[in-house]
Every structure is written in structure tokens, then in C-alpha cells.
Amino acid sequence: MRKITLALILASITFSAGAETLEERFVTCQGCHGEKGQSGTENTPSLGGQQAPYALIQLFMFREKLRDFEPMNEMAKALTDDDLRNFSDYIAKIPKPAPPTDAGEPARMQRGQALVKQYLCNTCHNGDFSGKENVPRIANQREDYLAKTLGEYKDNSRHGYDGSMADVMGAVPKEQIADLAYYIARVR
Amino acid sequence: MKSYSSASRSLLLAGAFFGALTLSAVAQQPAAPAAGAAPAAAPAPLPPGSPLIGRPADNEAAAKLAPVAPPPLAGAPDKLPIAKLKLPPGFNIEVYAAGMANARSLALGDKGTVFVGSRLVDKVYGIENKDGKRSVKVIASGLYRPNGVAFKNGTLYIAELSKVSKIDKVEDNLDSPPKPTMIYDKLPKDEAHGWKFIAIGPDNKLYVPVGQPGNVVLHDEDHGQIRRMNLDGTGAEIYVRGVRNTVGFDWNPENKQMYFTDNGRDWLSETVPEDELNRVTKQGEHFGAPYCLQGNIIDQELGWGKDCKDYTAPVGLMGPHVAALGMRFYTGSMFPKSYKNAIIVARHGSWNKTNKQGGDVVVVKLNKDGTVKSMEPLITGFLQDNKYVGRPVDVMQLKDGSMLVSDDWNGAVYRITYGKQKVAGK
């Protein structure tokens, strides 16, 4: 199944490798990452409004296989330095993801908010979690993706560009990741 | 808007009610406070080891500071900030080689190859010098944070996050070097201060630091030290302790004493502690971290019951948060006489400071007794309007007495010369 998906993606890259505009090439990305910057795919991040320097770092890491995820490693393999820059700038300009319509279970929201305050996430990610420069926007990111990513930083199975998030998550108990992700996904 | 807020209030009430009913279930989760409790007054304290310990919770200026990461793509040779760099009269700077993403530590081969480590990518580069031409090769890839490089008798030593390996006769095989062979891996795997600078001492031993595993943290016997070992990885022993994170060291050519830079902790204040320049006079010395900072400040959390008198004080203070990294004694004769046996230090530049400091290369001149006489700028201009256009990491002297400087922001190496400008072969 995964092979078929990959083959389809690769086929679409080959077809789109002509003189298309960036918007046309980005249609391939929307297959998994959703339209209008908002992902509807399990464990797959919304890209809208992402900080361009962060997006550039991730695309670079996928291309250089410094971050392991086969479909993205394949997608980024043939991208030039300029492609990486252009896609990053493009991603930064598409609309940021909207918060889910449900406001969230108050008790969990309260717990998540207390944890976010305790761990001073705002230091790097900003008070509204919009991120800055190499620090990603995490506000209203998909909950499953947030939880997965925090878990991977905690056990260092996802190698960050630098070790900052491994360092931060080292002190955070695994049991608190679910509430952190729940809150950040719904923060308004 | 109105209907939305009333909906949210009813949800809140429902939640509180629901929470009360399930209180016993919630109470079984150890970390979860009782649902529906009164709004938390002060946030819970940070757990031990958190890199944010010391950061004031509700301070706008502090909340703006975050570690600065370099762009991943190396700068194009014609876009390097060379015109912005300033040196004292008589000194010149040129681009030596470019296109090496995240270029960090430097080592010199017998045949003139310059080896360049990296931290945020997986490569060690070699700048080959052949018939007056320079070209960049990838010597090894697929490595994990290969920051450290050292060279001796034909062999290149590479330090990754948690292992040291080597490539014999590397300069005979620059186009297709064999994979590195591991010689030592009894090292912790922490990301924090896990990347390594390495060098070979006058005693022909390989010196390998193990940083403290966090900003300000109590740790076990395996951290916070510099080790030394034979060149085949055997006979490892602890050389000195109380080292937070050293990313540069060298030996005084006059008396063979080791000097090393050490980076001070974050979040204590804008102005202290300063990074240290330390001198080792005997094996076993303790340089204070994490209890005593910059030789005269007892840490506000970990220093209780400790006295700075019990630790070796630094011979020089390098500035707060400046990240003093690579350093080498200047033994050449190209630079003015006053530079002879002075230490050239790359200050990578601060992040934990509102007005950035560092982002330059300085020369530290010593008194006869090995203490610090002065610190003067050698290269400035990497910091423009409180933003980096480059960040120096390591320095290394070439045989002709010129000096190389690596820049991990642009993935480049520059060369400093003194006197009538000689245009080196391209």
C-alpha cells in the first residue's frame, strides 16, 4: 500500500517537473497536507503559516536524509536549493490552520495550559505559539502530529536540526504529552 | 460572537460537572491536577535539568530569546559577508573555501588538506590543495553531529556525538576515502552539549570533552569533564572536571599547559556569568561548573554549601553568553610580533542576551606568567543590527602563518593574512 502511494507521488512529481508554477507544483503536497494550509491526514502536519526558516530547515533535512520519513525523503530528493527556498516562502504565505470548532474539554484545556506555562513553551514558540524564525508555528497544528512529534523528541527518535527540543523534552514526563498536544491543537 | 461565548461557557460548566464525576479516575493519573480545581495561581516549577531553569516566567524581554539556528544551505561564494568584516590595519581577509553547509571545527593535514567538521549536518569536508587550486570534497557522511576533527601522522580523527573514529592515510584517498573506523564509544548520548571539539596534545594523547547534559544540572561521574586517551582509543582517563561545555582548546607552546574555553550557563542574567578561558596546571583540577561560575559566582540553585575557593578560577573572562568556542595559540611569524604566542579565539555570539554580544574573533594576549593581559578584536562585523550575517566557530593557523576562520552560518572558511595582500590561487 505504502509502495503504491509512493509510486503515485513519484509519478506526479515526474509529471509536474516541467515549467509549472510553484502553485501547480504545490498541488502534489496538498494531496497529503491538505488544501488551504490545513491537513486532514492522520499524523501529517498542517503547513499553513509555517515559519519560512523552519520550513526550509525541514525540507533541507528531508532532502539530505537528516530527518527520516520515506515519502518526504523521496519528494525532496530532486529539489534544488532554490526549490527549497521557494517552497518554504510559499508555505509561509498560505493561511494558517484554524482551531477546531470544539473548544475542548475544559479540564484538559486547563491542564494543558498549566503545562505550557510550566515548561515556558512561549520562550521560543511565542505567546500565541506562532513561532519565530527557526522555531515552528505549533498553534492549531494537528493534535496527533503534535503528540507524535513530542514523543519522538522525547526519545530522540526524531533528530532535531539542533538538540533543543530533545533537551526540553528530556525533563517532561511522557504522560503529559497528550495534554500538551490537546491544548496546543485547540489554543485560541 | 455572543452565542459563541455562551456556548463556550456552557461547555465549561459541562466540563466542570463531568470533571467532578470522574474525579476518582483522574486522580489515578499521577501528574494530572484535579479537574475543575480553582485556576492555578503560579505555574508548577520546572523539573530538574530543564534548559529553561532560571528564565523569569512573565518577562517580555526574556520571552523573546531563543537559541539561534543557522540557515541550512551554505551561502553562495558571491554572497558571503566578507565586505562587512572589519580587521585592524594591515590585516586582510578573503574567502578560502565555501559551500560547506554548517562548517565548524578545523584540522590541518600533513599535505595541506584542511578538514572541516559540522554539527547540524552529517558531513566532514576536506578542502584539498592541489597545484595551487582548492576544491571541497566530502570526506565522510552519514555521521551524527560530527563536530570534532583532529589530524596526526596521516590519520584523521572524527568525533561524533557519542563516538570517536578515524580514517588512516586519509590524504592519499581524498576522492574515495574508506569509512571511518570506531576507536572509542564509551560516551554518553545526550544531545545537550554532546557535540565535541577534539585535539591531540603535546603528549600525543587525544583529548575528548564530555559536556554537562543541560544548561545547569547536577550530573553523574561521566559528564562535565575533559578526557584523554591514546590515539587508538585505549587508556582513557579523566583529565579535568567542572567543565560545562568546552568547544575549543590548545596548548601553550612555551610551557605546554592546556588552555580551554568554557561556555557559561544561560538564564542567570544578561551580564553574568561570563564564558571562561581556563588554564590547566595539573591533571585532576576542577573548574567549578555547575557550582561556581566564572570563578567568583556561586550558582543560585546548585551552589549552596559550595565555595569558589575550592575550584580553579579562569585566567580570563570572555564576555557573557558570547559562546567562546575555537581557540589556538598563534605561533607564526606573519602577524605582528605582539601576536606571537597570543590566543586567537572565535566567539560564536550570544542568543541568551537582548543585545547580542560576540560574533567576532578576538586576540587574547598573555602575561609572562600565562595570565591574561588583554583581549582585543581581530575580526568584527558578523553581527549587524543585532542580527548575525555570519558566526565564527573555529580558528586554525596555516604553515605560512596565515589564519583560517570557519563560519557555520554561511558554511564557509575565511583566511586572514597580514601585510601586503597576496591573492591566493582560486
Side-chain angles (χ1 to χ4, degrees):
Chain A
M1 183 58 194
R2 196 171 176 189
K3 277 214 173 104
I4 295 170
T5 318
L6 200 58
L8 282 171
I9 290 168
L10 288 176
S12 60
I13 294 174
T14 322
F15 281 118
S16 62
E20 289 88 335
T21 62
L22 206 64
E23 285 84 347
E24 283 163 342
R25 293 175 72 190
F26 193 71
V27 169
T28 314
C29 313
Q30 291 174 330
C32 296
H33 290 282
E35 288 174 29
K36 295 176 187 160
Q38 191 132 18
S39 161
T41 315
E42 199 184 344
N43 286 327
T44 303
S46 298
L47 302 180
Q50 190 49 274
Q51 298 289 336
Y54 171 80
L56 177 63
I57 287 168
Q58 298 310 310
L59 285 172
F60 171 84
M61 291 183 76
F62 282 130
R63 188 183 71 178
E64 306 293 317
K65 293 195 173 169
L66 298 169
R67 181 175 169 191
D68 290 325
F69 184 63
E70 206 189 334
M72 279 307 297
N73 296 137
E74 283 297 326
M75 292 287 296
K77 201 161 71 175
L79 298 182
T80 64
D81 288 359
D82 278 338
D83 286 337
L84 300 186
R85 289 191 193 99
N86 292 338
F87 276 118
S88 310
D89 292 344
Y90 183 80
I91 285 166
K93 285 185 197 119
I94 54 182
K96 60 187 188 196
T101 41
D102 80 286
E105 194 188 310
R108 288 197 77 185
M109 289 299 280
Q110 205 180 349
R111 288 208 299 266
Q113 191 178 26
L115 291 172
V116 156
K117 273 198 172 153
Q118 180 187 2
Y119 296 124
L120 300 170
C121 305
N122 67 330
T123 290
C124 299
H125 291 278
N126 281 359
D128 60 358
F129 305 102
S130 58
K132 55 186 171 238
E133 300 283 326
N134 53 290
V135 181
R137 165 187 293 280
I138 51 173
N140 308 133
Q141 185 50 272
R142 284 183 61 93
E143 182 184 351
D144 55 1
Y145 179 75
L146 286 168
K148 174 177 174 283
T149 305
L150 288 171
E152 288 170 348
Y153 278 136
K154 169 99 186 140
D155 65 17
N156 211 13
S157 57
R158 172 171 166 183
H159 292 149
Y161 186 51
D162 64 16
S164 296
M165 278 306 293
D167 197 6
V168 167
M169 290 306 293
V172 177
K174 220 160 77 182
E175 299 72 36
Q176 295 178 345
I177 287 176
D179 283 338
L180 280 166
Y182 188 89
Y183 174 76
I184 295 164
R186 289 171 177 77
V187 69
R188 284 166 201 266
Chain B
M1 199 61 196
K2 216 169 198 173
S3 66
Y4 170 71
S5 70
S6 76
S8 102
R9 195 178 306 129
S10 63
L11 267 174
L12 188 78
L13 284 170
F17 185 59
F18 183 70
L21 282 176
T22 53
L23 198 59
S24 60
V26 170
Q28 282 167 10
Q29 296 173 7
L46 287 160
S50 169
L52 290 145
I53 283 175
R55 205 218 84 171
D58 294 308
N59 183 294
E60 259 183 62
K64 283 187 183 137
L65 303 176
V68 180
L73 299 168
D78 60 336
K79 297 226 172 93
L80 297 171
I82 200 104
K84 295 193 170 107
L85 303 180
K86 294 205 162 46
L87 292 90
F91 283 93
N92 318 294
I93 188 160
E94 62 181 338
V95 176
Y96 186 75
M100 300 164 288
N102 201 238
R104 297 269 300 182
S105 306
L106 301 168
L108 184 61
D110 293 334
K111 296 179 182 170
T113 309
V114 174
F115 296 98
V116 187
S118 66
R119 176 159 86 90
L120 304 180
V121 300
D122 60 346
K123 290 177 177 58
V124 169
Y125 310 93
I127 308 167
E128 187 185 28
N129 277 283
K130 208 174 171 184
D131 310 323
K133 280 186 182 169
R134 287 192 294 272
S135 54
V136 174
K137 321 240 153 169
V138 173
I139 302 296
S141 59
L143 308 177
Y144 194 58
R145 308 213 186 279
N147 185 74
V149 283
F151 187 95
K152 188 88 181 185
N153 296 332
T155 300
L156 172 69
Y157 298 84
I158 299 171
E160 295 175 68
L161 184 96
S162 62
K163 68 177 174 191
V164 183
S165 49
K166 63 168 186 169
I167 304 176
D168 291 327
K169 294 182 186 153
V170 63
E171 284 186 294
D172 300 338
N173 290 299
L174 289 176
D175 286 314
S176 55
K179 283 215 175 299
T181 327
M182 195 273 288
I183 58 167
Y184 184 77
D185 67 351
K186 291 183 186 67
L187 290 161
K189 292 186 165 51
D190 310 272
E191 283 283 346
H193 306 151
W195 63 95
K196 296 176 184 353
F197 174 91
I198 54 169
I200 294 159
D203 54 1
N204 215 29
K205 303 253 185 193
L206 181 66
Y207 285 73
V208 180
V210 185
Q212 297 182 339
N215 174 30
V216 47
V217 60
L218 289 174
H219 54 81
D220 61 19
E221 290 290 292
D222 293 334
H223 291 84
Q225 60 199 239
I226 301 173
R227 299 180 195 177
R228 67 176 171 188
M229 62 193 68
N230 300 319
L231 295 184
D232 61 359
T234 63
E237 59 178 0
I238 293 171
Y239 185 52
V240 291
R241 291 182 186 280
V243 181
R244 182 176 172 278
N245 182 32
T246 178
V247 197
F249 37 82
D250 196 11
W251 287 263
N252 188 334
E254 292 191 319
N255 58 15
K256 310 297 178 204
Q257 284 178 340
M258 184 201 222
Y259 282 66
F260 68 92
T261 56
D262 197 11
N263 287 204
R265 64 160 287 191
D266 303 318
W267 294 126
L268 188 59
S269 79
E270 294 256 9
T271 51
V272 289
E274 296 197 34
D275 287 358
E276 302 173 357
L277 177 66
N278 291 301
R279 171 179 58 167
V280 182
T281 54
K282 59 179 189 296
Q283 182 176 6
E285 276 182 288
H286 192 298
F287 287 86
Y291 315 114
C292 171
L293 318 170
Q294 65 164 51
N296 58 10
I297 298 172
I298 283 292
D299 190 81
Q300 56 185 8
E301 257 141 321
L302 303 183
W304 292 92
K306 307 288 182 183
D307 191 327
C308 280
K309 283 195 211 100
D310 297 329
Y311 308 104
T312 306
V315 288
L317 297 181
M318 301 300 297
H321 306 295
V322 295
L325 304 184
M327 53 152 280
R328 316 272 175 157
F329 282 86
Y330 183 76
T331 59
S333 47
M334 180 190 275
F335 291 4
K337 271 210 175 89
S338 64
Y339 280 73
K340 191 86 172 180
N341 294 345
I343 311 173
I344 314 253
V345 187
R347 303 196 303 174
H348 198 224
S350 67
W351 66 265
N352 193 220
K353 203 173 181 323
T354 301
N355 295 308
K356 290 192 176 67
Q357 192 173 333
D360 55 16
V361 176
V362 295
V363 54
V364 175
K365 293 175 178 167
L366 300 180
N367 295 308
K368 281 241 154 55
D369 64 358
T371 56
V372 170
K373 182 163 76 181
S374 66
M375 181 166 80
E376 302 151 25
L378 179 57
I379 312 176
T380 55
F382 288 109
L383 189 52
Q384 303 272 339
D385 301 326
N386 213 27
K387 283 194 172 121
Y388 294 110
V389 297
R391 290 182 97 186
V393 178
D394 199 10
V395 291
M396 185 183 71
Q397 189 185 315
L398 293 179
K399 279 173 190 142
D400 65 358
S402 63
M403 202 86 192
L404 298 186
V405 178
S406 63
D407 169 3
D408 65 351
W409 189 269
N410 292 299
V413 172
Y414 312 109
R415 176 170 172 256
I416 319 169
T417 56
Y418 183 77
K420 211 171 78 181
Q421 196 161 8
K422 283 184 214 146
V423 180
K426 229 193 161 184

